[in-house]
Amino acid sequence: MFSSKYRTPLIFRTFSSASSNDILFEVKNNIGIITLNRPRVLNSLTASMASAMYSKLKEWENERSFIIVKGSGDKAFCAGGDIISITKNKFEGLSLFSKQYSSNYLISKYKIPFVSLCDGITMGVGAGFSIQGTYRIATERTIFAMPETRIGLLTESGSSYFLPRMEGKLGLFLGLTGHKLEGIDVLKVGVATHFLPSDKIADLFDRLVETEADSIEDVLKKTTIDVGNKEFSLNSKMDLINSCFEGESVEDIIELLQTEGSPWSRRVLDILSRASPTSLKISKKVIDFGASRDLRDCLVTEFRLVWNAVQCSITSDFYEGVRAVLIDKDNNPKWSPRCLEEVDDAKVSKCFSPLPPGEELDI
């Protein structure tokens, strides 16, 4: 249940300020259409885009028959959030997280169908809001990953809810390593609900805007492809994933991988060695937490964690990771603490505590 590529994808970009054209809203046949319109930066969301989306979704819920979300260009649906702006402006960064998490929760309880055309890169907040919708259509160009531990952040955007609900220890593996899934693999793990070739996406969109909400299922059944006979690309690794990632701590996982000792385990160890030790510990803890919590609890807790990351409550790894990957691009972050053994577990646990008055996510 994994792709054959073990290298962690680092699809982050340096972003410019948002403009009024960065997110487009239109209505056709009473269908609300949202277009993420920053193709040069893989349709990544800014705080203003997230705020505009949330407001429009609230407005349309009682007015439209259903919603379609798509991305501009031929590379991405949505690659995530505007990472650089978060480190340059804490207020803007926290606003982005707050509005996007609020949208995730709203979409999860939406009264009308919500359709995401996930043609291309679908990561971070892009995966977070789409996976809460009714229908998610993947293509052979779809790439899903949660690579945040490589920039000193944590698995977020509701991933603490959906990752632990994947088969076995798959979700934990994805969250800690940032491993990417492509094409039909995205469907196989439930990130997508349907699959069709990328060159058919435009035809599907045209059909959808001519249909009624109660006919969406019929349209998708006629246009998408049954890939039930296709094997998930790393089914042969599932036993290894489940056995090595069953450890109670990140240190236990490392030890299990070292003991197993195969080339696959050594590659995974190499990936983990490059991630922020603090991010690994926080991500492990929040994914374990999310396994027994509802989406609201997960989003509220994730917001506490990103708030602490942005405020550098226990480490400045987020800023150092962005520097190393996005600004200086030396890909040589100086993590602090520098190893798992030096991470203070008590400080990690404190990050899960309620925030100061007025700072909590209000959903």
Side-chain angles (χ1 to χ4, degrees), residues 16 24 67 79 85 90 118 158 208 210 222 255 275 286 313 325 343 345 351 357:
S16 59
L24 307 176
I67 306 295
S85 71
K90 293 181 181 180
C118 303
L208 287 172
E210 296 296 332
K222 292 175 182 178
E255 184 176 348
V286 76
S313 296
V325 174
V343 178
D345 288 337
C351 288

Side-chain angles (χ1 to χ4, degrees), residues 9 15 36 45 64 92 106 131 186 189 198 253 286 326 353:
F15 305 128
L36 307 178
L45 261 67
R64 306 300 167 210
E92 184 173 345
L106 174 62
I131 203 170
V186 181
V189 300
S198 178
I253 292 170
V286 76
L326 299 177
S353 301

Side-chain angles (χ1 to χ4, degrees), residues 99-147:
K99 289 300 183 183
Q100 191 52 56
Y101 289 8
S102 296
S103 292
N104 290 0
Y105 190 64
L106 174 62
I107 293 166
S108 75
K109 297 183 174 297
Y110 221 44
K111 298 175 184 177
I112 58 177
F114 188 94
V115 183
S116 297
L117 303 181
C118 303
D119 183 27
I121 298 163
T122 304
M123 296 186 180
V125 297
F129 74 76
S130 61
I131 203 170
Q132 300 306 328
T134 322
Y135 305 106
R136 292 93 62 188
I137 292 81
T139 75
E140 75 280 0
R141 300 193 308 184
T142 304
I143 300 174
F144 163 79
M146 304 298 292

